[in-house]
Amino acid sequence: MFYSDGILKRSDLLRRDGVMHGFSTRLGGVSEHPYTLEMNLAFGREDPDETVLRNAEIFARAVSGGGYGAESAVCASQIHSTRVRYVTEADRGDGYLIRPSAGEPGDGFYTDRPGVLLTVRIADCVPILLAGEREDGSPVIAAVHAGWRGTVGGIAGEAVRLLVEAGVMLNTVRAAVGPHIGECCFTVREDFRDAVTAARGPDFASRHIKETDGALHADLTGMDLEILREAGVPREHIDVSPDCTACLNGIYHSHRRTAGRRGALGAGIVITGKDRDK
Ligand SMILES: [Zn+2]
């Protein structure tokens, strides 16, 4: 179950010793522009960089229970790919402090190192946070940004595969699918259905793209659930936020709802360790 915790949403499925995570809302930041009010984590929109950096600091501290700030966060220049890369302490600050507007291209990260706050930015796309354990009980975590291209490309399954490759026992993997645009608001055109059909076949497309009231609606939630289950994660180990970012534009940033005049939400996860930088 997802629940509200201050300015964040969290999933009780990911709660465990040594790992902290959270999904941002529009609450708790210092952005003053109407499009980005008040928590915006994207550079290059309406906010000065200093404002985004202050938001990143607030977000990182909230996610980690105060333990880590923006200098511990890693963020990517997201390109709607299925690239999920391994990051360590050496990557901390990328996307926020080292290369503020970008970060290395890709759409996900995983790590087994404490104090590396994996962050993805979204505004309708699907944020997925994952955690699992090795046989010795040590955690390995992942964060992915799944737009429809990443979703259909199978980025969620790629993250699970990499966790297992890193020594995680598959039956310990838990995934939290954060707030994103729901089937209610994600209307698509025929060429979208064609692209999904080309990528994953007509059965997949017909399971997740349906005609309602004369419009095609795509169900990213259903797609990502199917892909996670295909990767070996049972349904009871997957938590899905019921919130649609477009329906709830007062609480979340939505690209679709605002025709792109918006800020960005963040999803973050970190292994907490002894090297807290508080
Ligand atoms: Zn909706």
Side-chain angles (χ1 to χ4, degrees), residues 162 245 252 270:
L162 288 166
T245 45
Y252 301 109
V270 63

Side-chain angles (χ1 to χ4, degrees), residues 95-177:
Y96 281 118
L97 305 180
I98 299 172
R99 282 178 288 177
S101 60
E104 194 167 316
D107 291 276
F109 313 98
Y110 68 107
T111 192
D112 54 0
R113 312 299 290 252
V116 184
L117 175 60
L118 312 180
T119 310
V120 292
R121 300 183 182 110
I122 53 271
D124 289 343
C125 288
V126 187
I128 306 176
L129 302 177
L130 303 105
E133 286 169 27
R134 292 179 170 136
E135 226 161 284
D136 63 4
S138 63
V140 187
I141 58 172
V144 302
H145 155 256
W148 75 265
R149 286 177 203 281
T151 291
V152 170
I155 191 170
E158 174 67 0
V160 174
R161 189 186 71 74
L162 288 166
L163 289 182
V164 171
E165 198 176 274
V168 166
M169 298 177 289
L170 182 57
N171 63 4
T172 67
V173 173
R174 302 279 194 283
V177 179

Side-chain angles (χ1 to χ4, degrees), residues 181-182 184-185 244-247:
I181 192 166
C184 42
C185 295
C244 167
T245 45
C247 283

